[in-house]
């Protein structure tokens, strides 16, 4: 097969006389075959819902209860998955000389039902301080199997003793919730 040198500014027509798989150049986006990694069944983001919570939610309870960190999404398909991400500032406060070894725990609920495996410890601090600020980040994927409005809420509880567990205490920041509907 003869090779022909192309001069500057000459284009190559890859749609004619080329067979087999064509690699996509760096930064390329024009896949026309519909296949990515050997499949046409790829997920895509159908919608994104976000909420920025600037008010404080506090608990001194040793039982899980709803916080004000919440958002609602209405899936377009019952086969969609929802990626739930919640993040922001948290604070633990213990009166007296109690060590704040743990501040609290969080879970994500769909409506009034806990999402399986959504329990996340908010952090082990191992500190003698009585007032600790840290970042909280919780995420999980859910399959709600519905096209009805679906609410996701962060539930939380204090860990032990007389500790107080706050999300966005004193309005010193915010909590963010992002819900992404992913096509199955």
């Amino acid at each position: 097969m003869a090779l022909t040198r192309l001069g500057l500014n000459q284009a190559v027509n890859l749609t004619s006389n080329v067979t087999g798989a064509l690699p996509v150049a760096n930064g390329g986006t024009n896949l026309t075959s519909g296949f990515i990694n050997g499949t046409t069944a790829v997920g895509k983001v159908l919608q994104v819902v976000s909420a920025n919570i600037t008010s404080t939610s506090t608990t001194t309870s040793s039982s899980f209860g709803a916080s004000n960190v919440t958002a609602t999404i209405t899936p377009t398909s019952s086969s969609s998955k929802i990626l739930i991400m919640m993040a922001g500032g948290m604070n633990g406060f213990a009166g007296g000389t109690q060590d704040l070894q743990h501040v609290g725990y969080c879970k994500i609920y769909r409506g009034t039902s806990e999402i399986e495996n959504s329990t996340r410890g908010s952090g082990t601090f191992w500190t003698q301080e009585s007032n600790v600020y840290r970042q909280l980040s919780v995420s999980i994927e859910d399959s709600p199997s519905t096209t009805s409005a679906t609410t996701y809420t962060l539930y939380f509880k204090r860990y032990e003793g007389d500790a107080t567990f706050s999300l966005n205490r004193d309005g010193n920041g915010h909590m963010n919730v992002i819900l992404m509907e992913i096509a199955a």
Side-chain angles (χ1 to χ4, degrees), residues 147-160:
T147 56
S148 298
T150 305
T151 300
Y152 292 95
T153 304
L154 187 69
Y155 276 58
F156 66 148
K157 71 176 184 174
R158 69 163 167 79
Y159 177 70
E160 64 184 8

Side-chain angles (χ1 to χ4, degrees), residues 88-111:
M90 65 176 183
N91 171 259
F93 178 80
T97 59
Q98 175 184 344
D99 293 347
L100 277 178
Q101 294 179 357
H102 301 274
V103 172
Y105 292 102
C106 297
K107 293 181 180 184
I108 298 176
Y109 277 62
R110 178 188 345 108

Side-chain angles (χ1 to χ4, degrees), residues 59-70:
T59 187
T60 56
S61 176
S62 59
S63 300
F64 280 102
S67 73
N68 65 347
V69 180
T70 186

Side-chain angles (χ1 to χ4, degrees), residues 87-91 121-123 125 133-137 172-175:
M90 65 176 183
N91 171 259
S122 60
F125 298 143
Y133 288 92
R134 295 289 189 262
Q135 289 294 311
L136 168 70
S137 180
N172 292 326
H174 56 272
M175 293 291 296

Side-chain angles (χ1 to χ4, degrees), residues 124-172:
T124 303
F125 298 143
W126 303 112
T127 180
Q128 296 283 342
E129 299 175 49
S130 63
N131 199 6
V132 179
Y133 288 92
R134 295 289 189 262
Q135 289 294 311
L136 168 70
S137 180
V138 183
S139 61
I140 195 165
E141 179 185 286
D142 185 38
S143 300
S145 302
T146 185
T147 56
S148 298
T150 305
T151 300
Y152 292 95
T153 304
L154 187 69
Y155 276 58
F156 66 148
K157 71 176 184 174
R158 69 163 167 79
Y159 177 70
E160 64 184 8
D162 61 351
T164 299
F165 182 30
S166 298
L167 303 172
N168 193 31
R169 181 172 172 248
D170 299 330
N172 292 326

Side-chain angles (χ1 to χ4, degrees), residues 7-23:
L8 296 176
N9 301 323
Q10 289 184 342
V12 176
N13 183 351
L14 294 178
T15 60
S16 63
N17 299 323
V18 177
T19 60
L22 296 174

